[in-house]
Amino acid sequence: MTQPGTMTAMSKAMQDCVDACMSCHSVCEETMSSCMQKGGQAQMQIMRALIDCSEMTRMCADMMMRRSPLSAEMCAMCAKACDMCAEACMAMPDDPQMMRCAESCRRCADMCRAMA
């Protein structure tokens, strides 16, 4: 019997989604740092996508962990942000960090769509 005020355990799918969001957040932050070190090569569209994705994945993971009733809607928005970021990163196919970020974003988008 569950005590009042306690939460049920997260499903494996939800925990996997939280993990994918946190991993994607981390990779986006690393990619932003890489872009800033390169200077002029980083286009504003790519930076905006990275920032949006980084913030959205962190918030999505937080909402899932606290079992927010808005988490399904947040997962749908997060998937969209991840798709946009993956697309933006693909503009620099010769950059290994950008390709790593695009892959992480795609994985996260797929996991979030499954939760939405």
Side-chain angles (χ1 to χ4, degrees):
M1 180 173 215
T2 305
Q3 295 292 325
T6 62
M7 289 190 255
T8 59
M10 249 192 243
S11 70
K12 170 129 175 52
M14 185 178 279
Q15 184 59 57
D16 289 348
C17 189
V18 167
D19 292 345
C21 283
M22 293 309 294
S23 176
C24 188
H25 167 74
S26 199
V27 172
C28 285
E29 290 289 325
E30 292 168 14
T31 305
M32 281 188 276
S33 179
S34 174
C35 285
M36 287 188 273
Q37 289 174 4
K38 291 178 183 172
Q41 286 185 359
Q43 301 167 353
M44 288 305 293
Q45 179 183 358
I46 294 172
M47 287 301 287
R48 273 192 210 103
L50 286 164
I51 292 167
D52 287 351
C53 189
S54 174
E55 291 298 314
M56 191 70 71
T57 52
R58 183 192 51 77
M59 188 184 313
C60 188
D62 289 349
M63 290 177 84
M64 282 188 287
M65 286 187 282
R66 69 174 171 258
R67 313 306 195 279
S68 170
L70 300 173
S71 62
E73 289 89 349
M74 179 54 74
C75 283
M77 287 182 60
C78 188
K80 185 173 183 179
C82 288
D83 285 338
M84 290 173 68
C85 190
E87 191 65 34
C89 288
M90 293 304 293
M92 298 178 76
D94 296 332
D95 186 317
Q97 180 63 38
M98 289 290 188
M99 294 303 97
R100 184 171 161 245
C101 189
E103 180 181 324
S104 181
C105 289
R106 282 195 192 102
R107 179 175 182 267
C108 187
D110 289 344
M111 302 287 279
C112 282
R113 260 190 291 282
M115 289 287 109

